[in-house]
Amino acid sequence: MLRAAATLAFCLSFGACDAPSVGDAKPAAPAGPHVGDEPLAGGLPSLEALGEAVVAGLNDRDAAALAALAIDRAEYTGRLFPALANHPAAEAMGRELLWDMHARQSADDLQRALANFGGAALEFVRFEPRRTVRRAGVVFHERPHLVVRGDDGAERRLQILASLVEHESTQTFKLLGFRDHD
């Protein structure tokens, strides 16, 4: 059971369980659940704005500002759950349990990100997602590298984020959470 829970938590945190990548097949008519047309609560208007906010939070060592960029309990367990729950056992495990596992891991990884990169005078360059998938009206840019430039001018690829969440109809963006991928 513990192994199944860990696998399912991984799938929900990264969106890494078998789902078609954007562009892999012709788009079909929406079927099944949809997250609705309301913007993400506190969502930013572009991936660039999200990246700049993440880097500003790191530079300022501001854990609260960084945490505010991530999906909260209400959206995770509520309207976004159909897009996150791409594994048949997700609902059976319980939304609250999965949120608790996700939130605890994200908070720990946020603290590691601040310890490793906080106060480093970084500049946002771009995100480099490993894969992009679309489910239920949401696009997940999975396990992105956060590419930054230091004050020495050199680019670095930080692996500190879970998926970037893009609400398609409103073009609002948030983080799924923080993840230490090393």
Side-chain angles (χ1 to χ4, degrees), residues 98-143:
L98 292 171
W99 163 257
D100 290 343
M101 291 168 50
H102 166 77
R104 190 173 20 252
Q105 182 70 46
S106 182
D108 290 347
D109 288 339
L110 169 57
Q111 291 306 311
R112 270 191 285 287
L114 284 171
N116 292 329
F117 307 110
L122 303 172
E123 175 188 343
F124 174 72
V125 176
R126 67 185 170 277
F127 288 118
E128 293 177 349
R130 296 196 181 137
R131 183 171 88 146
T132 301
V133 296
R134 178 177 286 124
R135 288 189 298 276
V138 177
V139 177
F140 295 95
H141 305 275
E142 295 180 343
R143 297 174 42 211

Side-chain angles (χ1 to χ4, degrees), residues 41-150:
L44 297 176
S46 69
L47 283 174
E48 293 75 24
L50 182 58
E52 289 170 2
V54 169
V55 170
L58 288 172
N59 289 342
D60 295 342
R61 293 185 175 120
D62 190 342
L66 288 166
L69 298 173
I71 297 297
D72 66 12
R73 174 189 298 271
E75 282 197 310
Y76 184 99
T77 61
R79 74 182 192 130
L80 289 180
F81 198 76
L84 294 166
N86 59 340
H87 190 279
E91 198 68 57
M93 290 200 54
R95 295 175 181 213
E96 291 296 327
L97 172 64
L98 292 171
W99 163 257
D100 290 343
M101 291 168 50
H102 166 77
R104 190 173 20 252
Q105 182 70 46
S106 182
D108 290 347
D109 288 339
L110 169 57
Q111 291 306 311
R112 270 191 285 287
L114 284 171
N116 292 329
F117 307 110
L122 303 172
E123 175 188 343
F124 174 72
V125 176
R126 67 185 170 277
F127 288 118
E128 293 177 349
R130 296 196 181 137
R131 183 171 88 146
T132 301
V133 296
R134 178 177 286 124
R135 288 189 298 276
V138 177
V139 177
F140 295 95
H141 305 275
E142 295 180 343
R143 297 174 42 211
H145 289 104
L146 171 62
V147 181
V148 297
R149 183 174 296 112

